[in-house]
Amino acid sequence: MTKNIRYACAPIAWTNDDMPELGRENSFEQCISEMALSGYEGTEIGNKYPKDPEVLKSYLEPRGLSVASAWLSLYLTSEPYEVTEEAFIKHRDFLHALGANVIVVSEQGNSIQGDLTKALFKEKPIFTEQEWQLLIDGLEKLGQLAHEKDMEIVYHHHMGTGVQTTKEIDELMERTNKDNVSLLFDTGHLVLSGEDPIDIFERYEDRIKHIHFKDVRQDVKEAVDKESSCFLDGVKKGMFTVPGDGVIDFKPILDLIYKSDYSGWIVVEAEQDPAIANPFIYAKKAKEYIAQYQ
């Protein structure tokens, strides 16, 4: 541990929640055991994890793992606010019972993230002013609901959504109250989109409350763009990988983080086909790569 920073791993490398056929054979117990063996202190939560907090803790605690957070899809731009609020409260209470402090949220209204017909680099949604306002108003309310449990929402900018680029992240940050809406900093999604992670971290250091570390394979990115492939095809082809295995130099990023006041989790996350990229081997590789800069 460096300062108040702890390292977690995401289960998506073992079983992909968006494409359950990737890693269908890998059990929940194998996943968390291999995370612990790789030297991580925490985990985010996947679909195979027990839904009862006490049951989940009974598996995690003997392995020395805590819950960092879990993703929640929002539909503030495409559904009545009440639909998202109901799901959010249930998700919030579940994470609170597990001791998590942050709630990962991302707007999925009009997202092409799971659309097999949409070209990732050519057909991302652009929010209208009305959609921006629905998103901003909804996030402010969700942030206040999170505060009822002394928690924070962290917004996940994401490929194939309306908040992906630097300009869109800027707009989100400018139009939301910093007390209600924080930012998740994801290296892989920034670099894949063509953004500068150093610039984003320096600009929003005081609002970043959660971090995802993943790397990018540049040759696969270029092929996905050239072939007008969708996001999930890119994942299957190996567009993402773990830190130390792609084109991102994490040393200057880690230097910035360690010199900052950041306190919380750094989550290693790399959506890959586990039949091709053994998740245990890659989780270990990432931990060893990061450890040389601690």
Side-chain angles (χ1 to χ4, degrees):
M1 188 174 79
T2 300
K3 298 198 306 183
N4 294 314
I5 296 172
R6 303 172 74 192
Y7 281 90
C9 199
I12 200 166
W14 281 263
T15 303
N16 192 303
D17 288 347
D18 296 320
M19 294 178 285
E21 68 274 15
L22 297 186
R24 190 186 303 277
E25 69 282 4
N26 295 328
S27 70
F28 157 68
E29 292 92 334
Q30 175 190 343
C31 172
I32 59 172
S33 294
E34 291 183 348
M35 283 181 188
L37 280 171
S38 301
Y40 294 92
E41 296 178 76
T43 177
E44 287 194 346
I45 296 175
N47 284 347
K48 286 183 177 177
Y49 284 41
K51 304 300 188 286
D52 182 300
E54 294 307 314
V55 173
L56 179 51
K57 282 192 278 191
S58 75
Y59 282 95
L60 296 179
E61 287 173 357
R63 293 168 171 84
L65 294 174
S66 302
V67 170
S69 189
W71 166 287
L72 180 67
S73 295
L74 309 181
Y75 296 94
L76 296 167
T77 64
S78 58
E79 299 281 354
Y81 167 76
E82 291 73 21
V83 174
T84 291
E85 182 184 84
E86 182 179 358
F88 179 83
I89 290 172
K90 181 179 179 182
H91 188 71
R92 176 200 68 180
D93 292 350
F94 174 65
L95 287 176
H96 183 261
L98 290 161
N101 297 316
V102 298
I103 305 163
V104 176
V105 298
S106 184
E107 176 59 28
Q108 293 301 297
N110 302 317
S111 169
I112 65 165
Q113 180 179 332
D115 190 332
L116 301 179
T117 69
K118 300 288 188 182
L120 175 62
F121 291 101
K122 298 176 177 69
E123 299 182 76
K124 76 171 288 302
I126 304 295
F127 288 150
T128 64
E129 173 53 31
Q130 181 183 16
E131 288 169 333
W132 270 113
Q133 200 58 56
L134 287 168
L135 176 62
I136 300 306
D137 291 346
L139 288 174
E140 296 285 359
K141 293 175 185 175
L142 298 181
Q144 291 167 11
L145 287 172
H147 291 164
E148 292 179 359
K149 299 285 188 179
D150 294 322
M151 301 175 77
E152 302 287 341
I153 61 169
V154 288
Y155 192 93
H156 193 333
H157 55 88
H158 201 286
M159 291 295 296
T161 73
V163 183
Q164 171 187 309
T165 66
T166 298
K167 182 180 178 182
E168 290 161 346
I169 294 169
D170 286 345
E171 183 153 6
L172 180 75
M173 294 290 93
E174 288 167 10
R175 294 178 64 170
T176 52
N177 185 325
K178 67 178 182 180
D179 294 329
N180 290 331
V181 181
S182 297
L183 185 66
L184 184 153
F185 173 77
D186 187 302
T187 56
H189 283 277
L190 288 170
V191 170
L192 197 66
S193 178
E195 320 308 318
D196 180 357
I198 297 287
D199 173 58
I200 295 294
F201 190 88
E202 288 178 333
R203 202 179 308 193
Y204 298 114
E205 176 185 328
D206 63 330
R207 293 184 70 173
I208 292 169
K209 300 289 177 66
H210 201 54
I211 294 174
H212 281 178
F213 268 8
K214 54 177 168 276
D215 214 333
V216 173
R217 293 187 176 98
Q218 184 67 21
D219 58 335
V220 181
K221 171 191 173 180
E222 290 171 1
V224 168
D225 190 6
K226 183 179 179 181
E227 297 162 13
S228 295
S229 297
C230 68
F231 178 76
L232 296 182
D233 278 346
V235 168
K236 285 192 283 189
K237 290 172 181 174
M239 184 169 62
F240 289 126
T241 184
V242 296
D245 191 52
V247 297
I248 301 175
D249 180 2
F250 279 84
K251 184 181 186 305
I253 297 172
L254 281 162
D255 285 346
L256 264 182
I257 294 169
Y258 292 154
K259 289 173 185 174
S260 74
D261 291 328
Y262 179 75
S263 175
W265 291 97
I266 294 178
V267 182
V268 168
E269 179 192 39
E271 301 96 314
Q272 302 190 79
D273 183 346
I276 298 171
N278 182 294
F280 175 48
I281 299 302
Y282 275 79
K284 254 181 117 278
K285 180 187 291 190
K287 194 67 170 60
E288 290 164 359
Y289 170 79
I290 292 166
Q292 68 182 316
Y293 300 122
Q294 287 178 271

